[in-house]
Amino acid sequence: MTAEEPEAGHQGGGGAHDLLAMLPRLTQLNGAVNRGRVTERAMEAAGVSVDRPAMSVLVALHVAGTPLRVGEIATRMQVVGPHVTRQINELARRGLVRRVTDPDDQRARLIEPTAEGAAATDRYMRTVLGWFSDALAGWSPEDREVFGRLLGRFMDDLTAHLNSFDDDQTG
């Protein structure tokens, strides 16, 4: 089998060579983000002292722009509910999030950031987005738009495909 030939049983065609060329770049991206400790450095620069999973909860709430149920936060983070509940309990203890009544279901609770939690998340997001903006400073607006669109599409398609592995095992 050559790099141009897809593995038996897999969809595709002539794109296997392109995928093979992308793998080192994806590994490099993962390494740069992890080795560079982007999350930890941004939290430090923003004066936010929570752990990485807790920051992920705050970011999920920030991106949503509205209070969310624990299950929705877990879905957005692609983790299980109990993991999120532990993080929320700690964030609530520290005054960064609070539980509020769901207006559509008085029995349910939503999670929303407090003013302090929102301010901390805003500082963190400004730091990270500033770094990414600096890295893309030499890119044209069109290149930035295409990159964002294709990266989003790739992540959506990859996530759906990888989730199908779980569906195959449970079905």
Side-chain angles (χ1 to χ4, degrees), residues 124-167:
Y124 170 82
M125 294 298 294
R126 279 196 313 272
T127 300
V128 171
L129 294 177
W131 292 345
F132 288 166
S133 181
D134 290 348
L136 299 174
W139 291 35
S140 71
E142 295 80 19
D143 284 349
R144 290 169 73 134
E145 186 277 326
V146 168
F147 175 69
R149 184 173 42 80
L150 291 176
L151 182 60
R153 179 179 171 190
F154 173 71
M155 289 309 306
D156 290 347
D157 291 348
L158 180 62
T159 300
H161 183 67
L162 295 177
N163 286 342
S164 74
F165 297 159
D166 294 335
D167 296 341

Side-chain angles (χ1 to χ4, degrees), residues 79-160:
V79 297
V80 295
H83 173 75
V84 172
T85 299
R86 284 190 300 276
Q87 297 304 320
I88 289 169
N89 288 340
E90 178 60 19
L91 288 167
R93 186 188 70 71
R94 297 183 62 190
L96 298 172
V97 300
R98 66 177 154 252
R99 291 170 174 84
V100 296
T101 302
D102 184 337
D104 297 327
D105 181 353
Q106 296 297 308
R107 299 165 297 166
R109 297 288 174 257
L110 300 174
I111 309 303
E112 70 178 7
T114 62
E116 183 181 349
T121 307
D122 285 342
R123 289 191 312 272
Y124 170 82
M125 294 298 294
R126 279 196 313 272
T127 300
V128 171
L129 294 177
W131 292 345
F132 288 166
S133 181
D134 290 348
L136 299 174
W139 291 35
S140 71
E142 295 80 19
D143 284 349
R144 290 169 73 134
E145 186 277 326
V146 168
F147 175 69
R149 184 173 42 80
L150 291 176
L151 182 60
R153 179 179 171 190
F154 173 71
M155 289 309 306
D156 290 347
D157 291 348
L158 180 62
T159 300

Side-chain angles (χ1 to χ4, degrees), residues 20-68:
L20 189 58
M22 274 190 264
L23 268 176
R25 301 305 271 179
L26 291 171
T27 301
Q28 183 181 10
L29 173 62
N30 182 52
V33 169
N34 289 326
R35 192 174 42 259
R37 297 180 38 250
V38 171
T39 301
E40 292 81 0
R41 287 181 183 191
M43 287 189 301
E44 184 179 320
V48 180
S49 60
V50 298
D51 62 14
R52 182 187 283 224
M55 192 73 243
S56 295
V57 169
L58 291 171
V59 168
L61 290 168
H62 177 85
V63 169
T66 187
L68 298 173

